[in-house]
Amino acid sequence: MSNELLILIDPQNDFTNLDGFYAQQHQTSQITNTKQKINELLSLWNKNEIVVIYSNYQFEQFQKNLGIGIPDTFGHKLDNDFSFENDFTYISKNQHSAFTSKDFNDFLDNTNPSKLFLCGYLAEYCVEQTAIDALKNNYKVCLIEDCIGTGDDVQYRKDEMILKLGQDGAEMTNSNELIQQKNDRQNSQ
């Protein structure tokens, strides 16, 4: 895939680990199911075209008594269930959208990607806002539907987000389609 970036958003314990803050508030079997699929993509994708976005939030930044993605906590750490590598690009953000990060914008300016493939957490917050801002900035956006997670009890939010972003111009795919495309390209070389 030629200069097509895989953007993995917020694979941090607070969002993805059973002991994390979010899992303490919601059932997360759907989030758990995304991890293996994301790891398959991480193993096949060109390592210098993988960007891991993580959150550096402040206590009560979004609502009273909410402490999620706080630096130097268990919840802030990247979830060990993912197959992270040193060759990936790691960029922090301090709002929902990755586009609020100067480092992310500079990285995109320097790499000039042809398309952004988005996956990660949480569907209705950080993934959605990053996709909205990517489209506003005229990037081609593709949502990897089975690699985007949120709580089991709020799956309707993910469904609404996918419908809305599809209407706004985002493409949709799933991990099986991407894996098949990668394998077909490797076999034809």
Side-chain angles (χ1 to χ4, degrees), residues 22 29-35 37-38 118-128 131 143-166 172-175:
Y22 193 77
S29 63
Q30 189 271 333
I31 289 173
T32 300
N33 291 338
T34 63
K35 292 181 184 183
K37 295 169 186 179
I38 290 172
L118 301 183
C119 60
Y121 314 95
L122 295 168
E124 69 275 27
Y125 297 111
C126 299
V127 176
E128 179 177 27
L143 301 174
I144 310 169
E145 293 183 64
D146 61 338
C147 294
I148 295 172
T150 196
D152 296 350
D153 58 321
V154 291
Q155 284 297 301
Y156 68 91
R157 293 179 184 168
K158 176 183 169 185
D159 298 338
E160 290 171 353
M161 180 265 303
I162 287 172
L163 179 64
K164 177 183 175 293
L165 289 169
M172 306 298 157
T173 191
N174 63 56
S175 60

Side-chain angles (χ1 to χ4, degrees), residues 37-125:
K37 295 169 186 179
I38 290 172
N39 279 332
E40 289 179 61
L41 292 176
L42 294 175
S43 72
L44 292 173
W45 215 276
N46 185 341
K47 303 306 176 217
N48 64 358
E49 294 179 345
I50 297 173
V51 181
V52 177
I53 303 292
Y54 60 95
S55 293
N56 286 333
Y57 295 148
Q58 301 300 313
F59 183 69
E60 295 186 339
Q61 180 172 341
F62 300 109
Q63 71 184 46
K64 189 169 177 61
N65 296 320
L66 179 64
I68 195 164
I70 308 297
D72 302 318
T73 65
F74 167 79
H76 182 261
K77 293 180 176 142
L78 296 177
D79 187 331
N80 288 330
D81 287 347
F82 292 95
S83 302
F84 296 117
E85 295 189 20
N86 291 335
D87 295 343
F88 299 170
T89 299
Y90 296 87
I91 298 174
S92 68
K93 63 180 176 64
N94 57 19
Q95 294 291 325
H96 291 316
S97 174
F99 282 85
T100 61
S101 166
K102 181 183 181 320
D103 290 341
F104 184 65
N105 285 290
D106 290 348
F107 180 82
L108 294 178
D109 289 344
N110 291 331
T111 57
N112 193 29
S114 58
K115 188 182 284 187
L116 305 179
F117 286 84
L118 301 183
C119 60
Y121 314 95
L122 295 168
E124 69 275 27
Y125 297 111

